[in-house]
Structures are given as C-alpha cells and as structure tokens.
C-alpha cells in the first residue's frame, strides 16, 4: 500500500541497546489460511526497490507496545527487538487495531500482553481478582514512604510494573505527585522531597513510554527535574532548573514557525539532559530499565531532523545568512553551531535518508560556507566547522573531492577548501595539536585511493555503461588520477611548506660545531609534532600514491630534506623521518634505490646510528631493522652501495649479525659476478635516462594524462607561504652550506664510550677511521628483529659466533 498513513521506518535493537535503521517502506497485514489456523503477518515492503524488509507473524502470545502515538515495538526473540515508526498517527492506529484484533485485545491498551514468564503468570492467575489490581496510597506527605516502597518493589516484576503504570495513568497520579512536590518545596519539607526523588527515579525505571509522555510533557517536565534535584546522596540540591531556564537559552538562528517542532526540540534537549546529567550513571542492572528512555530520545531526534529537512524555506534562509558577508560574527557562530548539532542529529537517519540529507546540504552550499567559517579567527567557530567537515568527509569523501576540483576555475590556490584545511592544521594553536590531528585524519581520508569509488565530474557520462559492464576499477582509477593530479598540483606544496622551511640546506660558511648541532632541526616541541603529522601523511602517500609522490620526492629532493630531521633532539621526529625512508625502501623500487644511492642518503641514517652509540632504544632498533630488511630481501643495489661506502664505519657493530650479513651477501654476489652468473649488472644507461623511462610505465598510463612538470611548480599561496619562504631564506643565511658533493658531513670518530655518556665527540679530520670497539665489560645488544634467512648462511653465522663468542646485551626487562 503506497499511502503515507502506512509509510514506516523499520528499526532493530542491536547488542549495544541502540536502534538501527533497517529501511523505509509501507506496512500491511497479510492473511494466510493454513491447515491448522488462519495466520496474520505484518509485512513491510521497501519503497526504494520493493524488496521485503519484514515479514512477522502476529502471535497471540507476543507483547506489542504502542508508544508516542506513532510507534509499535515488540520482541521477535529473546535478544531481537523490532520497532515500526509510522509517518502518521492514523496509520499506527490502523495497524494497532489489527494486532489487537488478532490477539483479542481492546485497542485502547498500550500493551497487548504482559511480558512475564509462565510461572509468574500462573501465580498471578491464582490470585483473587481484587488482588490483581494495584492500589495506590493517597498522595499525601505522610504516605510518601509507602509510595516509594511500592514503586521500588515492582521493578523486579514485568507484570507488576505494567499494572502499576496502568494505575498511575488511569488515576492521573503523576500530576498529583508533582502538585505535592511544589507544596513540599514551598514549605521546605526536606524529608518529603528526598522521598519524592526516590519515587520519580523509580517511575523512570518502570521503562514505560506511556509514562514518559506524561512525565516529559510541557506542564510536567520541569517539576520532574525539580524532584530529581533532591538526590539524598548530595548535601545540597543541584540547581538544574536554573540551568535549563536561565543558562541554557534556546536560540533560534532563524525563527521556527512550527510550534510542534519547537516543542519537540525543547523536550528532546531536556530529556537528554535528564539522562546524561541528572540521573547517576546506571549500574548494569539499571541499564535495562532505561532502554525505553534512550529510544524516546532517539525517535525524537529522527522526527526533528525529518521536520527540519522538509522545511526548505527554513534551510534556505539559514544558508543565505551563513554565507552573507554582512552577517555579524556572533550570528554566524550561532548558525555554525546549529549546523553542527543538525549534522549530529542526522546520524539517526537511515542510510538513504542520510544520503538525501547531505545532498540537500551540499546543494544549498555547505562546502563554500565552510571555507568562510574555517577561515575565521573564532576558535569555537573553527572547531564547529571542523566537526561539520568531518561529518561530510565521513559520509562522502568523493562529494568533497568533486567540489574542491571545481574550485580552481574560480578561486586562487590559497582559498581552496583543502588548502584552508591544511593551513588550519598547520596553524593549530592547541599545544597538543588536537585539532591538527583531527584534520590530518580527514586529509588522509580524502587522499586515500581506497575510497575513490565514484567517477570524477568529466567521466560521469560514462558511469552507466561502466556499471552495466561491471567495470568499477576504471571508474576508481579515473577519480584517483584526476584528484591526485589536482592535489599534487594545487595542495601538496602547502602541506610540505613547514617541512621544507624547517629543513633548509646548511650553509658552508657556518662553523663545524653549528653544523653538528644541526640548527635547522626544530627544537620547538609543537613544531616537531606538526612535522611528525606531515611526515605521517607523506608516508601514507608513498604507500598509496606511487607515481605522483615518486615524481614529487625526486623533483623536490624531498627525502634528503626529511632525513635532516634524523638529527632532531626529538626522537619521535627522527623516527618519523626514518619511517618515511623505510616505507620508500619497502617498495623495492629500483628508481627509488638509485635516487637514494645517487644522493648518498644512507649517510644521515648511519650518522644517527653512530651518534646513538651503545644506547639500546627504539631508534637503534628501527635503524637496524631497516638494514636487516635490505639484507633479508636481498636488495642487491643497496647492499653493494652500503658495503662499498660504509663497511668501515659499521664493521665494529657486532651485537647483531646484520652488517656482517650484508657483507656476506655482497661477497656472494661478487663471487657470482666472477663466475658470470650475476643477476646484478649495472645498466649502461645513466640514472637520468632511467628516470625518463619510469615516467612512461604502462601501469600508470591513465595517471600520466596530467602534465607531470606541473607538480614541480611552486606558486604563491598567500601570507603563510611568504612567511615560510622568508624563514627559509633566513635559515639559509645562518646555516653552513652543503659540501660540493651534496652530502652530509660524515665522521667515524664516535667512540662507544663517549656516546654512552650522551655527549658527541668533536669531528675528526680523518673520515676513514673506525669507531672504537665497546669498552671492556660493556654488554652488547641483541637485535630487535630476527628475520629468517638461507640455511647455509645461518650455519656460517653459527660457526662464526662459536669462534668469536660475542657478548650480547640482555633485552630490557630481563
């Protein structure tokens, strides 16, 4: 049936006692004659595709509950609760009558069956009829203790809870209690107020939606809050009513003309306050008593979002004021906070409705509006805008990507949305960089090829044919190619600006001592944290972007700049730089390998290893793991480079067999070469010629449509970039220049004794001398990583260990 009366949303209750939306459809009652009996079932058909969302037989023993005039809730099994939320009250009443007809009940009841076990029902049937009725004591101050005991006594019995709820509703007892509360508070009758607290708390634990409708009505809810202020556990009552009426002012950013919607918003806020603030944290036993309260709030939020979304005039006016340049800052702050809460409420919607919700916001211009508010100085506005942006990115990163790719046609680089986000991350004033961490996660989602599943704008016309053929991969590659080309052309230079500014090249004229101190490495902890976040993103790019990041690294000589941070006094930053190099080497890409060898980029890593001395720490283990990976994976070009250039410096390190193993690999390869069996022969072509070749690899054909040289261009991007350039220029004037070979200053005079004392020795003019062996009594270290290797090599190492018997340092904690 397609009329709106029968239009429903189907919900199920998950293990966390949260309602999950299963879809929207139309409900009907179907009849089927069987040999035994005539069966009646509730059937829900999806409105999107006509599929069957639910088919549930109406059993005579199942307890159905009618809540809030538009909800029908029941349990199919012990841990499987269902709910139908009707669009109109008339449809709910119609289906409720059919359910009651099947079960032989009066449609005026709120529940068709008492949810009790068989033994309790038998005991209840044996009781005299008069005893089945719950008799309520007179609502008088001297009877409050008796009333409190009655309410507490029924909590363990579902049937008695139901009977008490019916008695409270039929006699208008709740309003009598609240009237008594006002008189007791006026006379400052403390004992009576404490007893009323217990009574009202017990009424909430009855877990009945019909009671909530009365307790949370406009004329009762503030008195309910007043009763709950007098918690016996508190020396003085809390002033919750003062907060709700005076402090928590309801602000209508745009006047809400719908009185029902305004009332629903007020009610939801106050009930949420009761649940989160007033009621103490429930025990495991008490949590089951408040499930209906959570459902009450949940369905209220669903209704609020639906009513707001359907009011197109209201949303249009909100967006008009949000993007109007003449809007005052205070007003804009209120509008942003409204949208933040609006997006938070939208999480209650089912997927297809949430899709329509965010598309409505996108069509109204939420993303251009975010560009404005994220650039404001107000920290609260920035935080709220970031939360809104996170909702959009989490919902549809492709929608955000498509928007930003259309921006260059009408905007400069420095006002692009992604660049605004990057700059906010870079300029985060929080000492712990909490906002920067959140924004970094959003950027990572946007540049992650794994969620680039939708086509970019210029290939939308191909979508239908591609989907019909079942070819989703070309669509994914189309968006990946287009967006990554955009990102590296317009945004990557903004992201790496702090990194490049803080790793400027050294000045040759500076003193040797200054060079050893490495003044370009940031000593500021917050700057080091920021660079670590940037390096984490760049490391992610190395793993997932291949072609674009490879071109950027080689064009900017980025790895050399990153490895400058190996000298940072912040070990976590040095580890981030090392992780960046480790991820590059982990790709086992020969073009990367030749770039590393040509730039002699192992030098700063080995310097850091030698400077670390005999300290057994994470930096030491991570560096050794890097070389162990090269040995185990038999990356022959790097092995030859390391042995040829650094064997003298590393030969004294015997607490692990890594470097001895590298030399063994190298000698085996030389022996193979002498026999003419080598797989490792250097090509006659130059490295520059090889670079031209990898630019034309077949596997990256689609990604090469964009001009590669554009990624190397550096454009002006506003005051931030100008300040960073000025800083970089100043650093260049104050720092030593790099030697003509383009390599770091490299010394081998680090003694283990000096390193263990935490001081660095003066540089030696002799670059070929060995580091001294560990002093007598100094225990050597064991390797953090133990890779498997060829059996013959293991046997050789065992024999050498038996000959030399090197002392090993025990692991930490041994």
């Amino acid at each position: 049936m397609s009329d709106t009366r029968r239009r429903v949303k189907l919900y199920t209750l998950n293990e966390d006692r949260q309602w999950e939306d299963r879809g929207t459809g139309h409900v009907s009652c179907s009849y089927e004659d069987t040999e035994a009996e005539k069966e009646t079932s509730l059937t829900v058909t999806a409105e999107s595709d006509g599929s069957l969302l639910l088919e549930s037989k109406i059993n005579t023993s199942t307890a159905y509950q009618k809540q809030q005039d538009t909800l029908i809730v029941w349990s199919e099994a012990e841990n499987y609760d269902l709910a139908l939320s009707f669009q109109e009250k008339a449809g709910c009443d119609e289906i409720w009558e059919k359910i009651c007809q099947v079960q032989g009940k009066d449609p005026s009841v709120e529940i068709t069956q008492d949810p009790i076990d068989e033994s309790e029902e038998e005991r209840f049937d044996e009781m005299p009829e008069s005893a089945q009725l719950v008799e309520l004591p007179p609502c008088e101050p001297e009877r409050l203790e008796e009333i409190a005991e009655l309410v507490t006594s029924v909590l363990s019995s579902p049937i008695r809870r139901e009977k008490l709820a019916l008695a409270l509703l039929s006699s208008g007892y709740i309003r009598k209690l609240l009237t008594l509360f006002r008189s007791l508070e006026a006379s400052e009758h403390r004992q009576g107020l404490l007893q009323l607290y217990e009574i009202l708390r017990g009424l909430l634990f009855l877990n009945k939606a019909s009671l909530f409708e009365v307790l949370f009505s406009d004329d009762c809810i503030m008195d309910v809050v007043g009763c709950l202020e007098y918690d016996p556990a508190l020396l003085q009552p809390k002033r919750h009513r003062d907060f709700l009426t005076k402090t928590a002012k309801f602000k209508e950013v745009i006047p809400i003309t719908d009185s029902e919607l305004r009332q629903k918003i007020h009610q939801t806020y106050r009930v949420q306050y009761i649940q989160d603030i007033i009621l103490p944290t429930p025990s495991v036993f008490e949590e089951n008593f408040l499930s209906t309260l959570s459902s009450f709030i949940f369905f209220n939020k669903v209704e609020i979002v639906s009513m707001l979304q359907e009011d197109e005039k209201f949303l249009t006016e909100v967006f008009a004021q949000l993007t109007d340049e003449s809007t005052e800052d205070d007003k804009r702050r209120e509008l942003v906070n409204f949208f933040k809460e609006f997006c938070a409420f939208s999480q209650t919607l089912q997927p297809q409705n949430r899709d329509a919700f965010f598309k409505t916001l996108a069509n109204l211009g939420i993303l251009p509006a975010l560009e404005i508010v994220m650039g404001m100085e107000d920290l609260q506005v920035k935080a709220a805008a970031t939360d809104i942006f996170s909702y959009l990115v989490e919902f549809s990163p492709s929608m955000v990507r498509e928007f930003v790719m259309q921006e260059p046609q009408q905007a400069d680089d420095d006002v692009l949305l992604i660049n605004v986000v990057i700059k906010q991350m870079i300029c985060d004033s929080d000492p712990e960089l909490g906002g920067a961490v959140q924004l970094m996660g959003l950027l990572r989602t946007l540049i992650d090829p794994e969620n680039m599943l939708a086509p970019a704008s210029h290939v939308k016309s191909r979508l239908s044919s591609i989907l019909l053929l079942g070819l989703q991969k070309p669509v994914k590659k189309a968006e990946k190619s287009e967006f990554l080309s955009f990102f590296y052309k317009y945004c990557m230079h903004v992201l790496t600006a702090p990194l490049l500014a803080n790793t400027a090249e050294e000045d040759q004229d500076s003193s040797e001592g200054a060079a050893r101190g490495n003044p370009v490495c940031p000593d500021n902890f917050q700057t080091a944290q920021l660079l670590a976040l940037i390096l984490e993103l760049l490391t992610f790019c190395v793993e997932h972007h291949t072609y674009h990041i490879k071109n950027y690294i080689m064009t900017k000589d980025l790895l050399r700049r990153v490895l400058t941070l190996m000298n940072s006094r912040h070990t976590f930053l040095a580890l981030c730089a090392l992780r960046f190099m480790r991820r590059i080497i982990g790709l086992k890409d020969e073009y990367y390998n030749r770039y590393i060898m040509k730039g002699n980029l192992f030098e700063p890593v080995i310097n850091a290893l030698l400077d670390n001395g005999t300290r057994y720490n994470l930096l030491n283990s991570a560096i050794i793991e890097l070389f162990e990976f090269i040995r185990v994976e038999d990356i022959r070009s790097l092995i030859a480079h390391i042995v040829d250039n650094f064997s003298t410096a590393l030969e004294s390190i015997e607490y692990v067999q890594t470097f001895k193993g590298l030399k063994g690999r190298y000698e085996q390869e030389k022996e193979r070469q002498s026999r003419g069996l080598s797989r490792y022969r250097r090509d006659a072509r130059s490295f520059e010629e090889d670079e031209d070749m990898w630019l034309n690899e077949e596997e990256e054909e689609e990604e090469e449509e964009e001009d590669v040289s554009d990624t190397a261009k550096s454009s002006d991007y506003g005051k931030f970039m100008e300040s960073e350039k000025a800083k970089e220029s100043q650093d260049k004037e104050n720092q030593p220049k790099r030697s003509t070979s383009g390599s770091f200053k490299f010394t081998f005079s680090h003694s283990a004794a000096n390193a263990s004392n935490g001081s660095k020795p003066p540089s030696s003019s002799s670059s070929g001398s060995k580091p001294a062996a560990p002093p007598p009594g100094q225990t050597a270290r064991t390797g953090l990583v133990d890779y498997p290797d060829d059996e013959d090599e293991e046997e050789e190492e065992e024999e050498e260990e038996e000959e030399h018997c090197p002392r090993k340092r025990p692991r930490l904690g041994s």
Side-chain angles (χ1 to χ4, degrees), residues 386-414:
T386 300
D387 289 336
I388 297 171
F389 186 66
S390 67
Y391 283 120
L392 295 171
V393 172
E394 180 182 353
F395 168 72
S396 177
S398 289
M399 180 180 73
V400 178
R401 284 192 288 262
E402 185 173 351
F403 168 78
V404 298
M405 283 190 289
Q406 295 170 353
E407 288 187 283
Q409 304 170 5
Q410 55 196 19
D412 298 327
D413 287 5
D414 59 339

Short mmCIF file of all heavy atoms in Angstrom, two decimals, residues 386-414:
data_model
loop_
_atom_site.label_atom_id
_atom_site.label_comp_id
_atom_site.label_asym_id
_atom_site.label_seq_id
_atom_site.Cartn_x
_atom_site.Cartn_y
_atom_site.Cartn_z
N THR A 386 35.00 22.38 11.77
CA THR A 386 35.78 21.15 11.58
C THR A 386 34.92 19.92 11.82
O THR A 386 35.00 18.93 11.08
CB THR A 386 36.99 21.14 12.53
OG1 THR A 386 37.82 22.26 12.25
CG2 THR A 386 37.79 19.86 12.36
N ASP A 387 34.07 19.98 12.84
CA ASP A 387 33.17 18.85 13.11
C ASP A 387 32.20 18.64 11.95
O ASP A 387 31.93 17.50 11.55
CB ASP A 387 32.40 19.09 14.41
CG ASP A 387 33.29 18.99 15.64
OD1 ASP A 387 34.33 18.32 15.55
OD2 ASP A 387 32.93 19.57 16.68
N ILE A 388 31.66 19.73 11.40
CA ILE A 388 30.75 19.61 10.26
C ILE A 388 31.49 19.00 9.07
O ILE A 388 30.99 18.11 8.38
CB ILE A 388 30.17 20.98 9.89
CG1 ILE A 388 29.32 21.53 11.03
CG2 ILE A 388 29.34 20.89 8.62
CD1 ILE A 388 28.88 22.97 10.84
N PHE A 389 32.71 19.51 8.83
CA PHE A 389 33.51 18.99 7.71
C PHE A 389 33.80 17.50 7.89
O PHE A 389 33.78 16.74 6.92
CB PHE A 389 34.81 19.78 7.63
CG PHE A 389 35.67 19.43 6.44
CD1 PHE A 389 35.25 19.70 5.15
CD2 PHE A 389 36.90 18.82 6.61
CE1 PHE A 389 36.03 19.38 4.06
CE2 PHE A 389 37.69 18.49 5.53
CZ PHE A 389 37.25 18.77 4.25
N SER A 390 34.02 17.08 9.14
CA SER A 390 34.29 15.65 9.39
C SER A 390 33.06 14.80 9.07
O SER A 390 33.19 13.69 8.54
CB SER A 390 34.73 15.43 10.84
OG SER A 390 33.66 15.71 11.73
N TYR A 391 31.86 15.31 9.37
CA TYR A 391 30.64 14.58 9.01
C TYR A 391 30.55 14.40 7.49
O TYR A 391 30.20 13.33 6.99
CB TYR A 391 29.40 15.32 9.51
CG TYR A 391 29.14 15.18 10.99
CD1 TYR A 391 29.10 16.30 11.82
CD2 TYR A 391 28.90 13.94 11.57
CE1 TYR A 391 28.86 16.19 13.19
CE2 TYR A 391 28.66 13.82 12.94
CZ TYR A 391 28.64 14.95 13.73
OH TYR A 391 28.40 14.82 15.08
N LEU A 392 30.87 15.48 6.75
CA LEU A 392 30.78 15.42 5.29
C LEU A 392 31.81 14.46 4.71
O LEU A 392 31.51 13.67 3.81
CB LEU A 392 30.98 16.82 4.71
CG LEU A 392 29.89 17.85 5.06
CD1 LEU A 392 30.32 19.24 4.61
CD2 LEU A 392 28.57 17.48 4.43
N VAL A 393 33.03 14.52 5.22
CA VAL A 393 34.09 13.64 4.71
C VAL A 393 33.78 12.18 5.04
O VAL A 393 33.96 11.29 4.20
CB VAL A 393 35.46 14.05 5.29
CG1 VAL A 393 36.53 13.02 4.92
CG2 VAL A 393 35.86 15.43 4.78
N GLU A 394 33.31 11.94 6.24
CA GLU A 394 32.97 10.58 6.63
C GLU A 394 31.83 10.04 5.79
O GLU A 394 31.84 8.87 5.39
CB GLU A 394 32.58 10.55 8.11
CG GLU A 394 32.20 9.16 8.62
CD GLU A 394 31.76 9.16 10.07
OE1 GLU A 394 31.87 10.22 10.72
OE2 GLU A 394 31.31 8.12 10.55
N PHE A 395 30.87 10.89 5.48
CA PHE A 395 29.73 10.44 4.68
C PHE A 395 30.11 10.20 3.23
O PHE A 395 29.81 9.15 2.67
CB PHE A 395 28.60 11.48 4.75
CG PHE A 395 27.52 11.23 3.74
CD1 PHE A 395 26.65 10.15 3.90
CD2 PHE A 395 27.38 12.03 2.63
CE1 PHE A 395 25.66 9.91 2.96
CE2 PHE A 395 26.41 11.80 1.69
CZ PHE A 395 25.54 10.73 1.86
N SER A 396 30.75 11.19 2.59
CA SER A 396 31.07 11.05 1.17
C SER A 396 32.33 11.83 0.82
O SER A 396 32.26 13.00 0.43
CB SER A 396 29.89 11.55 0.32
OG SER A 396 30.21 11.50 -1.07
N PRO A 397 33.50 11.21 0.94
CA PRO A 397 34.73 11.90 0.54
C PRO A 397 34.73 12.27 -0.94
O PRO A 397 35.31 13.27 -1.33
CB PRO A 397 35.84 10.89 0.88
CG PRO A 397 35.15 9.58 1.06
CD PRO A 397 33.77 9.87 1.50
N SER A 398 34.05 11.46 -1.77
CA SER A 398 34.01 11.77 -3.20
C SER A 398 33.27 13.07 -3.47
O SER A 398 33.64 13.83 -4.36
CB SER A 398 33.33 10.62 -3.96
OG SER A 398 34.16 9.48 -3.99
N MET A 399 32.21 13.33 -2.70
CA MET A 399 31.48 14.59 -2.86
C MET A 399 32.38 15.78 -2.54
O MET A 399 32.36 16.78 -3.26
CB MET A 399 30.25 14.58 -1.93
CG MET A 399 29.41 15.85 -1.99
SD MET A 399 27.99 15.79 -0.87
CE MET A 399 28.82 15.98 0.72
N VAL A 400 33.18 15.66 -1.48
CA VAL A 400 34.10 16.74 -1.12
C VAL A 400 35.17 16.90 -2.19
O VAL A 400 35.52 18.02 -2.59
CB VAL A 400 34.73 16.46 0.26
CG1 VAL A 400 35.73 17.56 0.62
CG2 VAL A 400 33.66 16.35 1.33
N ARG A 401 35.71 15.78 -2.67
CA ARG A 401 36.75 15.85 -3.70
C ARG A 401 36.23 16.51 -4.97
O ARG A 401 36.92 17.32 -5.61
CB ARG A 401 37.28 14.44 -4.00
CG ARG A 401 38.22 13.90 -2.94
CD ARG A 401 38.92 12.65 -3.42
NE ARG A 401 38.02 11.52 -3.49
CZ ARG A 401 37.92 10.58 -2.55
NH1 ARG A 401 38.65 10.65 -1.46
NH2 ARG A 401 37.08 9.56 -2.69
N GLU A 402 35.02 16.15 -5.37
CA GLU A 402 34.46 16.73 -6.59
C GLU A 402 34.29 18.24 -6.45
O GLU A 402 34.54 18.99 -7.38
CB GLU A 402 33.12 16.07 -6.91
CG GLU A 402 32.52 16.53 -8.23
CD GLU A 402 31.28 15.76 -8.61
OE1 GLU A 402 30.97 14.76 -7.94
OE2 GLU A 402 30.61 16.18 -9.56
N PHE A 403 33.88 18.67 -5.26
CA PHE A 403 33.72 20.12 -5.04
C PHE A 403 35.06 20.84 -5.16
O PHE A 403 35.16 21.87 -5.84
CB PHE A 403 33.11 20.35 -3.66
CG PHE A 403 33.17 21.79 -3.22
CD1 PHE A 403 32.28 22.72 -3.73
CD2 PHE A 403 34.14 22.21 -2.31
CE1 PHE A 403 32.35 24.06 -3.33
CE2 PHE A 403 34.21 23.52 -1.91
CZ PHE A 403 33.31 24.45 -2.43
N VAL A 404 36.10 20.32 -4.51
CA VAL A 404 37.37 21.05 -4.50
C VAL A 404 38.03 21.05 -5.88
O VAL A 404 38.76 21.98 -6.22
CB VAL A 404 38.34 20.46 -3.44
CG1 VAL A 404 37.75 20.60 -2.06
CG2 VAL A 404 38.68 19.02 -3.73
N MET A 405 37.75 20.03 -6.69
CA MET A 405 38.35 20.01 -8.03
C MET A 405 37.71 21.04 -8.95
O MET A 405 38.28 21.39 -9.98
CB MET A 405 38.26 18.62 -8.63
CG MET A 405 39.28 17.65 -8.08
SD MET A 405 39.37 16.10 -8.99
CE MET A 405 37.83 15.33 -8.53
N GLN A 406 36.53 21.50 -8.60
CA GLN A 406 35.88 22.53 -9.42
C GLN A 406 36.29 23.93 -9.00
O GLN A 406 36.03 24.90 -9.70
CB GLN A 406 34.36 22.40 -9.28
CG GLN A 406 33.81 21.11 -9.84
CD GLN A 406 32.34 20.89 -9.49
OE1 GLN A 406 31.78 21.65 -8.71
NE2 GLN A 406 31.74 19.86 -10.06
N GLU A 407 36.97 24.05 -7.86
CA GLU A 407 37.30 25.38 -7.33
C GLU A 407 38.34 26.16 -8.14
O GLU A 407 38.19 27.37 -8.28
CB GLU A 407 37.80 25.25 -5.89
CG GLU A 407 36.73 24.90 -4.90
CD GLU A 407 37.24 24.95 -3.48
OE1 GLU A 407 37.95 24.00 -3.08
OE2 GLU A 407 36.96 25.93 -2.79
N PRO A 408 39.41 25.55 -8.68
CA PRO A 408 40.45 26.36 -9.34
C PRO A 408 39.91 27.23 -10.46
O PRO A 408 40.53 28.23 -10.81
CB PRO A 408 41.42 25.31 -9.88
CG PRO A 408 41.24 24.14 -8.98
CD PRO A 408 39.80 24.14 -8.61
N GLN A 409 38.77 26.89 -11.03
CA GLN A 409 38.20 27.70 -12.10
C GLN A 409 37.79 29.08 -11.60
O GLN A 409 37.65 30.01 -12.36
CB GLN A 409 36.98 26.98 -12.69
CG GLN A 409 37.30 25.58 -13.19
CD GLN A 409 36.03 24.81 -13.54
OE1 GLN A 409 34.94 25.35 -13.51
NE2 GLN A 409 36.20 23.54 -13.88
N GLN A 410 37.56 29.20 -10.29
CA GLN A 410 37.04 30.45 -9.78
C GLN A 410 37.75 30.93 -8.53
O GLN A 410 37.31 31.88 -7.89
CB GLN A 410 35.55 30.27 -9.46
CG GLN A 410 35.30 29.12 -8.50
CD GLN A 410 33.84 28.70 -8.50
OE1 GLN A 410 33.11 29.01 -9.42
NE2 GLN A 410 33.43 28.00 -7.46
N ALA A 411 38.83 30.28 -8.13
CA ALA A 411 39.49 30.67 -6.88
C ALA A 411 40.99 30.51 -7.01
O ALA A 411 41.49 29.79 -7.86
CB ALA A 411 38.98 29.80 -5.73
N ASP A 412 41.70 31.23 -6.13
CA ASP A 412 43.16 31.10 -6.05
C ASP A 412 43.52 29.92 -5.16
O ASP A 412 42.72 29.46 -4.36
CB ASP A 412 43.77 32.39 -5.49
CG ASP A 412 43.50 33.58 -6.41
OD1 ASP A 412 43.44 33.36 -7.64
OD2 ASP A 412 43.35 34.70 -5.89
N ASP A 413 44.78 29.49 -5.28
CA ASP A 413 45.24 28.33 -4.51
C ASP A 413 45.05 28.52 -3.02
O ASP A 413 44.71 27.59 -2.30
CB ASP A 413 46.73 28.07 -4.79
CG ASP A 413 46.93 27.48 -6.18
OD1 ASP A 413 45.94 27.38 -6.91
OD2 ASP A 413 48.08 27.14 -6.52
N ASP A 414 45.27 29.75 -2.53
CA ASP A 414 45.28 29.93 -1.09
C ASP A 414 43.90 29.91 -0.45
O ASP A 414 43.79 29.91 0.77
CB ASP A 414 45.99 31.24 -0.72
CG ASP A 414 45.33 32.45 -1.37
OD1 ASP A 414 44.62 32.25 -2.37
OD2 ASP A 414 45.51 33.57 -0.87
#
